[in-house]
Short mmCIF file of all heavy atoms in Angstrom, two decimals:
data_model
loop_
_atom_site.label_atom_id
_atom_site.label_comp_id
_atom_site.label_asym_id
_atom_site.label_seq_id
_atom_site.Cartn_x
_atom_site.Cartn_y
_atom_site.Cartn_z
N ILE A 667 -14.63 -6.35 21.12
CA ILE A 667 -13.79 -5.91 20.02
C ILE A 667 -12.36 -6.34 20.32
O ILE A 667 -11.81 -6.04 21.37
CB ILE A 667 -13.85 -4.38 19.83
CG1 ILE A 667 -15.26 -3.97 19.44
CG2 ILE A 667 -12.84 -3.94 18.80
CD1 ILE A 667 -15.45 -2.48 19.35
N LEU A 668 -11.76 -7.05 19.36
CA LEU A 668 -10.38 -7.50 19.51
C LEU A 668 -9.42 -6.40 19.07
O LEU A 668 -9.52 -5.91 17.95
CB LEU A 668 -10.15 -8.75 18.66
CG LEU A 668 -8.75 -9.31 18.62
CD1 LEU A 668 -8.34 -9.77 20.01
CD2 LEU A 668 -8.67 -10.44 17.64
N GLN A 669 -8.54 -6.00 19.96
CA GLN A 669 -7.52 -5.01 19.63
C GLN A 669 -6.20 -5.73 19.53
O GLN A 669 -5.69 -6.24 20.51
CB GLN A 669 -7.47 -3.92 20.68
CG GLN A 669 -8.74 -3.11 20.76
CD GLN A 669 -8.65 -2.03 21.82
OE1 GLN A 669 -7.70 -1.95 22.58
NE2 GLN A 669 -9.65 -1.20 21.88
N MET A 670 -5.66 -5.79 18.30
CA MET A 670 -4.43 -6.53 18.07
C MET A 670 -3.43 -5.65 17.33
O MET A 670 -3.79 -4.95 16.40
CB MET A 670 -4.71 -7.80 17.25
CG MET A 670 -3.48 -8.65 17.07
SD MET A 670 -3.76 -10.14 16.11
CE MET A 670 -5.07 -10.93 16.98
N THR A 671 -2.20 -5.72 17.76
CA THR A 671 -1.09 -5.07 17.07
C THR A 671 -0.18 -6.18 16.58
O THR A 671 0.15 -7.09 17.34
CB THR A 671 -0.31 -4.15 18.02
OG1 THR A 671 -1.21 -3.19 18.56
CG2 THR A 671 0.81 -3.44 17.30
N TYR A 672 0.20 -6.13 15.31
CA TYR A 672 1.04 -7.19 14.77
C TYR A 672 1.93 -6.66 13.64
O TYR A 672 1.69 -5.59 13.10
CB TYR A 672 0.18 -8.34 14.25
CG TYR A 672 -0.72 -7.96 13.09
CD1 TYR A 672 -0.31 -8.14 11.79
CD2 TYR A 672 -1.97 -7.41 13.31
CE1 TYR A 672 -1.12 -7.78 10.73
CE2 TYR A 672 -2.79 -7.06 12.27
CZ TYR A 672 -2.36 -7.24 10.98
OH TYR A 672 -3.16 -6.87 9.94
N CYS A 673 2.95 -7.42 13.33
CA CYS A 673 3.87 -7.13 12.24
C CYS A 673 3.60 -8.14 11.13
O CYS A 673 3.69 -9.35 11.37
CB CYS A 673 5.31 -7.22 12.71
SG CYS A 673 6.50 -7.02 11.38
N ASP A 674 3.29 -7.64 9.94
CA ASP A 674 3.04 -8.57 8.83
C ASP A 674 4.21 -8.63 7.85
O ASP A 674 4.13 -9.32 6.85
CB ASP A 674 1.74 -8.22 8.11
CG ASP A 674 1.77 -6.85 7.45
OD1 ASP A 674 2.72 -6.10 7.71
OD2 ASP A 674 0.85 -6.55 6.69
N ASP A 675 5.30 -7.93 8.15
CA ASP A 675 6.49 -7.96 7.32
C ASP A 675 7.69 -8.40 8.17
O ASP A 675 8.50 -7.60 8.60
CB ASP A 675 6.75 -6.58 6.70
CG ASP A 675 7.96 -6.55 5.79
OD1 ASP A 675 8.46 -7.61 5.40
OD2 ASP A 675 8.41 -5.43 5.47
N VAL A 676 7.74 -9.70 8.43
CA VAL A 676 8.77 -10.23 9.34
C VAL A 676 10.17 -10.04 8.74
O VAL A 676 11.10 -9.65 9.46
CB VAL A 676 8.50 -11.72 9.66
CG1 VAL A 676 9.64 -12.31 10.45
CG2 VAL A 676 7.19 -11.85 10.42
N SER A 677 10.33 -10.27 7.45
CA SER A 677 11.67 -10.10 6.86
C SER A 677 12.11 -8.64 6.93
O SER A 677 13.28 -8.35 7.18
CB SER A 677 11.70 -10.62 5.44
OG SER A 677 10.75 -9.97 4.63
N GLY A 678 11.19 -7.70 6.78
CA GLY A 678 11.52 -6.28 6.91
C GLY A 678 11.87 -5.93 8.34
O GLY A 678 12.78 -5.12 8.60
N LEU A 679 11.15 -6.50 9.30
CA LEU A 679 11.44 -6.29 10.71
C LEU A 679 12.83 -6.80 11.05
O LEU A 679 13.61 -6.12 11.72
CB LEU A 679 10.39 -6.97 11.59
CG LEU A 679 10.63 -6.95 13.09
CD1 LEU A 679 10.59 -5.51 13.62
CD2 LEU A 679 9.61 -7.82 13.79
N MET A 680 13.16 -7.98 10.60
CA MET A 680 14.48 -8.56 10.87
C MET A 680 15.58 -7.72 10.23
O MET A 680 16.64 -7.54 10.83
CB MET A 680 14.56 -9.99 10.36
CG MET A 680 13.65 -10.93 11.10
SD MET A 680 14.12 -11.07 12.82
CE MET A 680 13.27 -12.53 13.28
N LYS A 681 15.32 -7.22 9.03
CA LYS A 681 16.30 -6.35 8.37
C LYS A 681 16.52 -5.07 9.18
O LYS A 681 17.64 -4.62 9.35
CB LYS A 681 15.84 -6.03 6.95
CG LYS A 681 16.83 -5.27 6.13
CD LYS A 681 16.34 -5.09 4.70
CE LYS A 681 17.37 -4.35 3.89
NZ LYS A 681 16.92 -4.14 2.51
N ALA A 682 15.43 -4.48 9.69
CA ALA A 682 15.53 -3.27 10.50
C ALA A 682 16.30 -3.53 11.80
O ALA A 682 16.98 -2.63 12.31
CB ALA A 682 14.14 -2.73 10.80
N LEU A 683 16.19 -4.74 12.32
CA LEU A 683 16.90 -5.10 13.56
C LEU A 683 18.32 -5.62 13.30
O LEU A 683 19.03 -5.98 14.22
CB LEU A 683 16.11 -6.18 14.32
CG LEU A 683 14.76 -5.76 14.87
CD1 LEU A 683 14.00 -6.95 15.41
CD2 LEU A 683 14.92 -4.69 15.94
N ASN A 684 18.71 -5.67 12.02
CA ASN A 684 20.02 -6.17 11.60
C ASN A 684 20.24 -7.63 12.00
O ASN A 684 21.31 -8.02 12.40
CB ASN A 684 21.17 -5.30 12.14
CG ASN A 684 21.19 -3.94 11.51
OD1 ASN A 684 20.93 -3.80 10.32
ND2 ASN A 684 21.46 -2.93 12.30
N PHE A 685 19.16 -8.44 11.88
CA PHE A 685 19.25 -9.87 12.13
C PHE A 685 19.24 -10.58 10.79
O PHE A 685 18.51 -10.19 9.88
CB PHE A 685 18.04 -10.39 12.93
CG PHE A 685 18.00 -9.94 14.37
CD1 PHE A 685 16.85 -10.08 15.10
CD2 PHE A 685 19.09 -9.37 15.00
CE1 PHE A 685 16.78 -9.69 16.43
CE2 PHE A 685 19.04 -8.97 16.33
CZ PHE A 685 17.88 -9.13 17.04
N LYS A 686 20.07 -11.62 10.67
CA LYS A 686 20.02 -12.46 9.50
C LYS A 686 18.78 -13.35 9.63
O LYS A 686 18.64 -14.09 10.60
CB LYS A 686 21.28 -13.32 9.38
CG LYS A 686 21.32 -14.16 8.13
CD LYS A 686 22.61 -14.94 8.05
CE LYS A 686 22.58 -15.82 6.81
NZ LYS A 686 23.78 -16.63 6.71
N TYR A 687 17.86 -13.26 8.67
CA TYR A 687 16.60 -13.99 8.77
C TYR A 687 16.53 -15.13 7.78
O TYR A 687 16.54 -14.92 6.57
CB TYR A 687 15.42 -13.04 8.55
CG TYR A 687 14.08 -13.74 8.62
CD1 TYR A 687 13.66 -14.33 9.80
CD2 TYR A 687 13.26 -13.83 7.52
CE1 TYR A 687 12.45 -14.98 9.89
CE2 TYR A 687 12.04 -14.48 7.58
CZ TYR A 687 11.64 -15.04 8.76
OH TYR A 687 10.44 -15.68 8.84
N GLU A 688 16.50 -16.34 8.30
CA GLU A 688 16.21 -17.54 7.53
C GLU A 688 15.06 -18.20 8.26
O GLU A 688 15.21 -18.60 9.43
CB GLU A 688 17.44 -18.44 7.45
CG GLU A 688 18.58 -17.82 6.68
CD GLU A 688 19.84 -18.67 6.72
OE1 GLU A 688 19.85 -19.75 7.35
OE2 GLU A 688 20.83 -18.23 6.12
N SER A 689 13.91 -18.31 7.62
CA SER A 689 12.68 -18.73 8.30
C SER A 689 12.82 -20.09 8.98
O SER A 689 12.19 -20.31 10.02
CB SER A 689 11.51 -18.74 7.32
OG SER A 689 11.74 -19.66 6.28
N GLN A 690 13.64 -20.99 8.47
CA GLN A 690 13.77 -22.31 9.09
C GLN A 690 14.50 -22.24 10.42
O GLN A 690 14.47 -23.21 11.19
CB GLN A 690 14.45 -23.32 8.15
CG GLN A 690 15.89 -23.02 7.84
CD GLN A 690 16.10 -22.09 6.65
OE1 GLN A 690 15.17 -21.47 6.17
NE2 GLN A 690 17.32 -22.00 6.18
N ASN A 691 15.15 -21.12 10.74
CA ASN A 691 15.87 -20.97 11.99
C ASN A 691 15.05 -20.30 13.09
O ASN A 691 15.57 -20.06 14.19
CB ASN A 691 17.16 -20.18 11.77
CG ASN A 691 18.15 -20.93 10.93
OD1 ASN A 691 18.13 -22.15 10.89
ND2 ASN A 691 19.02 -20.21 10.24
N TRP A 692 13.80 -19.97 12.80
CA TRP A 692 12.95 -19.28 13.75
C TRP A 692 11.64 -20.05 13.92
O TRP A 692 11.16 -20.68 13.00
CB TRP A 692 12.65 -17.86 13.29
CG TRP A 692 13.86 -16.99 13.24
CD1 TRP A 692 14.77 -16.90 12.22
CD2 TRP A 692 14.32 -16.10 14.24
NE1 TRP A 692 15.76 -16.01 12.54
CE2 TRP A 692 15.50 -15.50 13.78
CE3 TRP A 692 13.84 -15.74 15.50
CZ2 TRP A 692 16.21 -14.58 14.54
CZ3 TRP A 692 14.54 -14.81 16.24
CH2 TRP A 692 15.71 -14.23 15.76
N ARG A 693 11.05 -19.95 15.11
CA ARG A 693 9.75 -20.59 15.36
C ARG A 693 8.84 -19.58 16.07
O ARG A 693 9.31 -18.72 16.81
CB ARG A 693 9.89 -21.86 16.17
CG ARG A 693 10.46 -21.67 17.55
CD ARG A 693 10.83 -23.01 18.19
NE ARG A 693 11.31 -22.86 19.53
CZ ARG A 693 12.54 -22.52 19.89
NH1 ARG A 693 13.44 -22.27 18.95
NH2 ARG A 693 12.89 -22.43 21.14
N LEU A 694 7.55 -19.72 15.83
CA LEU A 694 6.57 -18.83 16.43
C LEU A 694 6.12 -19.41 17.78
O LEU A 694 5.77 -20.58 17.86
CB LEU A 694 5.36 -18.66 15.52
CG LEU A 694 4.23 -17.78 16.04
CD1 LEU A 694 4.71 -16.35 16.22
CD2 LEU A 694 3.05 -17.85 15.10
N PHE A 695 6.17 -18.59 18.81
CA PHE A 695 5.69 -18.99 20.12
C PHE A 695 4.55 -18.05 20.50
O PHE A 695 4.69 -16.83 20.44
CB PHE A 695 6.83 -18.88 21.16
CG PHE A 695 6.38 -19.16 22.57
CD1 PHE A 695 6.12 -20.46 22.97
CD2 PHE A 695 6.23 -18.14 23.49
CE1 PHE A 695 5.71 -20.73 24.27
CE2 PHE A 695 5.82 -18.41 24.78
CZ PHE A 695 5.57 -19.70 25.17
N ILE A 696 3.40 -18.63 20.85
CA ILE A 696 2.24 -17.85 21.24
C ILE A 696 1.96 -18.13 22.71
O ILE A 696 1.85 -19.28 23.12
CB ILE A 696 1.01 -18.20 20.38
CG1 ILE A 696 1.31 -17.88 18.92
CG2 ILE A 696 -0.22 -17.45 20.87
CD1 ILE A 696 0.22 -18.32 17.96
N ASP A 697 1.87 -17.06 23.50
CA ASP A 697 1.64 -17.17 24.92
C ASP A 697 0.36 -16.45 25.28
O ASP A 697 0.17 -15.28 24.93
CB ASP A 697 2.81 -16.56 25.70
CG ASP A 697 2.64 -16.66 27.20
OD1 ASP A 697 2.11 -17.70 27.67
OD2 ASP A 697 3.05 -15.73 27.91
N GLY A 698 -0.53 -17.15 25.95
CA GLY A 698 -1.79 -16.54 26.36
C GLY A 698 -1.87 -16.46 27.87
O GLY A 698 -1.43 -17.36 28.58
N SER A 699 -2.39 -15.37 28.36
CA SER A 699 -2.65 -15.22 29.78
C SER A 699 -4.11 -14.82 29.95
O SER A 699 -4.86 -14.76 28.98
CB SER A 699 -1.72 -14.16 30.39
OG SER A 699 -2.09 -12.88 29.95
N LYS A 700 -4.48 -14.51 31.15
CA LYS A 700 -5.87 -14.14 31.43
C LYS A 700 -6.25 -12.84 30.72
O LYS A 700 -7.41 -12.63 30.38
CB LYS A 700 -6.07 -14.01 32.93
CG LYS A 700 -7.48 -13.81 33.37
CD LYS A 700 -7.59 -13.82 34.88
CE LYS A 700 -9.03 -13.64 35.32
NZ LYS A 700 -9.13 -13.63 36.77
N TYR A 701 -5.30 -11.95 30.49
CA TYR A 701 -5.59 -10.62 29.98
C TYR A 701 -5.02 -10.30 28.60
O TYR A 701 -5.38 -9.29 28.01
CB TYR A 701 -5.11 -9.56 30.97
CG TYR A 701 -5.74 -9.70 32.32
CD1 TYR A 701 -5.02 -10.20 33.38
CD2 TYR A 701 -7.07 -9.37 32.51
CE1 TYR A 701 -5.61 -10.36 34.63
CE2 TYR A 701 -7.67 -9.52 33.76
CZ TYR A 701 -6.93 -10.01 34.81
OH TYR A 701 -7.50 -10.16 36.03
N SER A 702 -4.11 -11.12 28.11
CA SER A 702 -3.50 -10.77 26.81
C SER A 702 -2.98 -12.01 26.10
O SER A 702 -2.88 -13.09 26.68
CB SER A 702 -2.34 -9.78 27.01
OG SER A 702 -1.27 -10.40 27.67
N LEU A 703 -2.67 -11.82 24.85
CA LEU A 703 -2.10 -12.86 24.01
C LEU A 703 -0.92 -12.27 23.28
O LEU A 703 -1.03 -11.16 22.73
CB LEU A 703 -3.18 -13.34 23.03
CG LEU A 703 -2.95 -14.61 22.25
CD1 LEU A 703 -2.83 -15.79 23.20
CD2 LEU A 703 -4.10 -14.83 21.30
N LYS A 704 0.22 -12.94 23.28
CA LYS A 704 1.44 -12.41 22.66
C LYS A 704 2.02 -13.45 21.72
O LYS A 704 1.98 -14.64 22.00
CB LYS A 704 2.48 -12.06 23.72
CG LYS A 704 2.02 -11.02 24.69
CD LYS A 704 3.00 -10.88 25.82
CE LYS A 704 2.34 -10.13 26.95
NZ LYS A 704 2.51 -10.72 28.23
N GLY A 705 2.59 -12.99 20.63
CA GLY A 705 3.30 -13.84 19.70
C GLY A 705 4.72 -13.34 19.53
O GLY A 705 4.94 -12.15 19.30
N VAL A 706 5.69 -14.22 19.68
CA VAL A 706 7.09 -13.86 19.51
C VAL A 706 7.78 -14.90 18.64
O VAL A 706 7.40 -16.06 18.61
CB VAL A 706 7.86 -13.73 20.86
CG1 VAL A 706 7.31 -12.62 21.69
CG2 VAL A 706 7.85 -15.02 21.62
N LEU A 707 8.80 -14.45 17.92
CA LEU A 707 9.65 -15.37 17.17
C LEU A 707 10.84 -15.72 18.04
O LEU A 707 11.50 -14.84 18.59
CB LEU A 707 10.12 -14.71 15.87
CG LEU A 707 9.06 -14.54 14.80
CD1 LEU A 707 9.65 -13.79 13.61
CD2 LEU A 707 8.48 -15.86 14.36
N LEU A 708 11.11 -17.02 18.17
CA LEU A 708 12.25 -17.51 18.94
C LEU A 708 13.25 -18.14 18.00
O LEU A 708 12.88 -18.88 17.08
CB LEU A 708 11.78 -18.55 19.97
CG LEU A 708 10.77 -18.09 20.99
CD1 LEU A 708 10.31 -19.26 21.85
CD2 LEU A 708 11.35 -16.99 21.87
N HIS A 709 14.51 -17.85 18.22
CA HIS A 709 15.58 -18.43 17.40
C HIS A 709 15.82 -19.86 17.85
O HIS A 709 15.88 -20.15 19.04
CB HIS A 709 16.85 -17.60 17.53
CG HIS A 709 17.90 -18.00 16.56
ND1 HIS A 709 18.95 -18.80 16.91
CD2 HIS A 709 18.05 -17.73 15.24
CE1 HIS A 709 19.71 -18.99 15.87
NE2 HIS A 709 19.20 -18.36 14.83
N ASN A 710 15.96 -20.77 16.91
CA ASN A 710 16.13 -22.20 17.23
C ASN A 710 17.38 -22.46 18.07
O ASN A 710 17.40 -23.33 18.90
CB ASN A 710 16.16 -23.04 15.96
CG ASN A 710 14.78 -23.17 15.36
OD1 ASN A 710 13.77 -23.03 16.02
ND2 ASN A 710 14.73 -23.43 14.06
N GLY A 711 18.45 -21.73 17.83
CA GLY A 711 19.68 -21.96 18.58
C GLY A 711 19.77 -21.13 19.84
O GLY A 711 20.76 -21.20 20.56
N ASN A 712 18.76 -20.32 20.13
CA ASN A 712 18.74 -19.43 21.29
C ASN A 712 19.95 -18.51 21.34
O ASN A 712 20.38 -18.10 22.42
CB ASN A 712 18.62 -20.22 22.60
CG ASN A 712 17.27 -20.87 22.75
OD1 ASN A 712 16.26 -20.34 22.28
ND2 ASN A 712 17.24 -22.01 23.40
N THR A 713 20.52 -18.19 20.19
CA THR A 713 21.63 -17.27 20.15
C THR A 713 21.19 -15.85 19.83
O THR A 713 21.98 -14.93 19.97
CB THR A 713 22.68 -17.72 19.10
OG1 THR A 713 22.04 -17.80 17.83
CG2 THR A 713 23.28 -19.05 19.47
N MET A 714 19.95 -15.69 19.41
CA MET A 714 19.39 -14.38 19.09
C MET A 714 18.27 -14.08 20.08
O MET A 714 17.63 -14.99 20.59
CB MET A 714 18.83 -14.37 17.67
CG MET A 714 19.80 -14.82 16.59
SD MET A 714 21.05 -13.59 16.27
CE MET A 714 20.14 -12.45 15.30
#
């Protein structure tokens, strides 16, 4: 059984964090290890 927690409202999440969200300025990074899989949004300019 796959147990996954995720956010399906990225613009709402960014608003809650007080980040200016323009999708072209962010990229999805997925990292897998032996025990887990994580997805994070990385800012293209690495300023956020």
Side-chain angles (χ1 to χ4, degrees):
I667 297 175
L668 176 63
Q669 296 180 354
M670 184 180 304
T671 303
Y672 63 93
C673 175
D674 63 350
D675 181 14
V676 173
S677 58
L679 174 63
M680 294 296 196
K681 186 175 181 181
L683 294 172
N684 292 321
F685 291 166
K686 183 178 178 182
Y687 179 64
E688 295 175 359
S689 62
Q690 67 272 13
N691 293 334
W692 295 84
R693 63 191 183 278
L694 178 64
F695 176 74
I696 298 174
D697 181 37
S699 71
K700 187 175 181 181
Y701 301 106
S702 68
L703 193 63
K704 300 171 196 133
V706 295
L707 289 176
L708 300 175
H709 189 260
N710 287 336
N712 291 329
T713 57
M714 306 287 283

